[in-house]
């Protein structure tokens, strides 16, 4: 009689949802040396440790497809705000901003300042950043991208214009170094002032080194309000010119006059998917969060201050209330609070649900891991999808919810041996109670 295999850990008695969108099944999971080595009835097998998952869901570890955790994985390596949600892998370097490469003396124009506290470590090369992570690994796996805005800050004397050819050449060299070191792609954030002057052609030219590598082009689009459709076309064009997969970050439609337009954007995205590789992510809230804008056109609707360097006491208060207390207008109050971050109540819940329910939408938190009063998406995105949107309002089955945060994401970002709970995969596993999980 052959000896029963021995495991480091057996998770027994649970119901497996494996991250492929296929129906759940009851099975034990055997883990050895960091990999899943058996799935089935392991009741006769020995293990150094056993975990009883009776009545619980056992799923592939969640992948946060959209984070700004570049610095947090070094500064807060326990990553409690992600691990506590079942997140085992984070994609960093989104919205054009990455913590590397940056010279020690490089300025951090907003929104780059959302990534790092003053005085935090700087990395002149992408490799030195990844080496620091390898020396001091965090509790989550990290798949890192390089940011176009960061490359602009590294190479351009002024950000108020499109890049010149010598600057594009310098950015190409930095991107090549990052890809060589292990970056999985490049992101842009042409929505934000430090990259808004970049033309479509600049983005194509800067990103050119990803062509043929399989690396992704990820974008916080130039416009997510009145000109969303124009920005979608720009995104698709860049993807076609680069012959590279594109990811539309945190797809949303801002401002009341654009509410309901997901009925137009989603069919266009699906149509584009027929001709090129397109993916998208979304967070489960109808309020956004980023730097506090200065532009009056971006200061419409209710705005809650999340942090302010000169006025930390104003965190948690509405901009309108602060402005009236100071007896100045909103734009002046926003200027006086800088540098600052804010929460914007500018989306329609119907659009949020349409986008989340779109079959190709990945779940990403877009959490900003700085300040004392962050947007709740930092801590709550994944339980909110599982508890509120899947269980309580039935937006999609649990199998679909988990696929959107595991298998789909691993596929789109080409994460090897992650995202599904199968034999031979890394043992990224999360166990939770589907009946009680909530934010
Ligand atoms: Zn963004």
């Amino acid at each position: 009689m052959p000896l029963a295999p021995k495991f480091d850990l057996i998770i027994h008695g649970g119901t497996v949802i494996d991250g492929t969108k296929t129906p759940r099944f009851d099975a034990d999971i055997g883990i050895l040396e960091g990999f899943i080595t058996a799935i089935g009835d392991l009741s006769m097998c020995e293990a150094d440790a056993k975990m009883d998952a009776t009545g619980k869901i056992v799923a592939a570890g969640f992948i946060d497809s959209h984070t700004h955790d570049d610095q947090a994985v070094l500064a807060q390596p326990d990553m409690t705000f992600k691990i506590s949600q079942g997140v085992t892998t984070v994609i960093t370097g989104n919205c054009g901003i990455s913590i590397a490469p940056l010279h020690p003396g490089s300025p951090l124009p907003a929104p780059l300042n959302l990534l790092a506290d003053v005085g935090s470590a700087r990395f002149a090369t992408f490799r030195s950043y990844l080496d620091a992570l390898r020396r001091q690994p965090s509790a989550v796996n990290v798949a890192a991208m390089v940011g176009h805005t960061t490359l602009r800050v590294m190479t351009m004397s002024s950000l108020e214009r499109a890049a010149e050819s010598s600057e594009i050449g310098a950015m190409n060299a930095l991107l090549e170094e990052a890809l060589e070191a292990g970056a999985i792609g490049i992101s842009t954030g042409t929505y934000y002032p430090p990259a808004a002057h970049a033309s479509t052609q600049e983005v194509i030219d800067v990103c050119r080194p990803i062509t043929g590598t399989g690396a992704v082009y990820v974008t916080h689009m130039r416009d997510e309000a009145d000109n969303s459709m124009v920005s979608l076309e720009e995104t698709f064009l860049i993807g076609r010119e680069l012959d590279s997969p594109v990811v539309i970050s945190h797809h949303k439609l801002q401002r009341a006059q654009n509410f309901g337009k997901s009925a137009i954007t989603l069919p266009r995205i699906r149509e584009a998917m027929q001709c090129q590789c397109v993916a998208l992510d979304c967070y489960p809230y109808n309020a956004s969060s980023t730097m506090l804008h200065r532009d009056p056109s971006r200061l419409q609707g209710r705005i809650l201050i999340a942090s302010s360097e000169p006025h930390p006491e104003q965190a948690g208060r509405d901009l309108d209330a602060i402005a009236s207390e100071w007896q100045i207008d909103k734009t002046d109050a926003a200027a006086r609070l800088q540098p600052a971050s804010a929460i914007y109540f500018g989306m329609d819940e119907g659009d949020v649900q349409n986008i989340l329910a779109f079959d190709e939408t990945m779940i990403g938190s877009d959490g900003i891991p700085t300040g004392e009063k962050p947007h709740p998406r930092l801590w709550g995105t994944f339980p909110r999808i599982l508890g509120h949107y899947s269980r309580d309002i039935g937006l999609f089955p649990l199998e679909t919810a988990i696929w959107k945060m595991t298998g789909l994401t691993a596929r789109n970002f080409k994460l090897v041996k992650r995202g599904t709970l199968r034999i031979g995969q890394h043992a990224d596993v999360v166990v939770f109670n589907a009946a009680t999980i909530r934010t």
Side-chain angles (χ1 to χ4, degrees), residues 162-176:
E164 292 164 2
S165 63
S166 62
E167 293 161 337
I168 288 170
M171 287 192 258
N172 287 157
L174 292 170
L175 174 55
E176 280 163 15

Side-chain angles (χ1 to χ4, degrees), residues 66 68 94-95 192 220 249-250 252 366:
H66 189 106
H68 296 290
N94 281 284
C95 301
Y192 291 106
H220 179 156
S249 292
H250 44 56
K252 63 170 94 67
D366 199 12

Side-chain angles (χ1 to χ4, degrees), residues 155-351:
T155 55
M156 295 177 67
S157 52
S158 163
L159 303 175
E160 307 286 306
R161 54 174 174 78
E164 292 164 2
S165 63
S166 62
E167 293 161 337
I168 288 170
M171 287 192 258
N172 287 157
L174 292 170
L175 174 55
E176 280 163 15
E177 188 275 332
L179 293 169
E180 178 87 358
I184 63 161
I186 180 166
S187 74
T188 56
T190 43
Y191 170 79
Y192 291 106
H197 288 89
S199 62
T200 306
Q201 193 59 48
E202 174 186 319
V203 173
I204 293 166
D205 291 343
V206 168
C207 296
R208 179 59 68 196
I210 70 170
T211 301
T213 66
V216 288
Y217 167 68
V218 178
T219 182
H220 179 156
M221 299 193 305
R222 210 177 279 280
D223 192 291
E224 297 178 315
D226 300 358
N227 295 306
S228 297
M229 291 301 286
V230 177
S231 286
L232 279 179
E233 296 307 328
E234 182 187 29
T235 301
F236 300 148
L237 172 69
I238 292 167
R240 287 195 305 272
E241 289 290 320
L242 294 171
D243 193 17
S244 294
V246 300
V247 180
I248 300 159
S249 292
H250 44 56
H251 185 42
K252 63 170 94 67
L253 293 141
Q254 292 188 297
R255 298 189 199 154
Q257 66 266 33
N258 301 305
F259 289 179
K261 282 195 185 163
S262 61
I264 304 167
T265 59
L266 292 174
R268 178 65 191 111
I269 290 169
R270 190 182 298 287
E271 185 183 44
M273 284 172 169
Q274 310 305 315
C275 335
Q276 63 187 112
C277 233
V278 179
L280 69 161
D281 62 73
C282 182
Y283 52 80
Y285 296 87
N286 59 9
S288 61
S289 177
T290 187
M291 60 183 271
L292 177 59
H293 295 301
R294 293 170 183 270
D295 180 346
S297 74
R298 290 181 174 178
L299 293 175
Q300 299 170 15
R302 184 181 166 210
I303 296 168
L304 186 66
I305 301 304
S307 68
S308 163
E309 265 181 43
H311 292 284
E313 76 285 357
Q314 301 297 350
R317 298 191 68 208
D318 280 5
L319 179 62
D320 277 337
I322 298 166
S324 72
E325 188 175 295
W326 288 350
Q327 298 184 333
I328 53 178
D329 73 17
K330 248 191 333 195
T331 313
D332 292 335
R336 199 185 284 183
L337 289 161
Q338 302 284 352
S341 63
I343 293 165
Y344 300 83
F345 293 81
M347 283 178 259
D348 175 51
E349 178 63 21
D351 282 325

Side-chain angles (χ1 to χ4, degrees), residues 407-425:
L408 175 64
T409 316
R411 186 195 76 191
N412 288 338
F413 288 98
K414 301 185 180 70
L415 305 182
V416 179
K417 293 193 175 186
R418 303 199 189 270
T420 53
L421 217 165
R422 292 207 161 149
I423 290 172
Q425 297 284 77

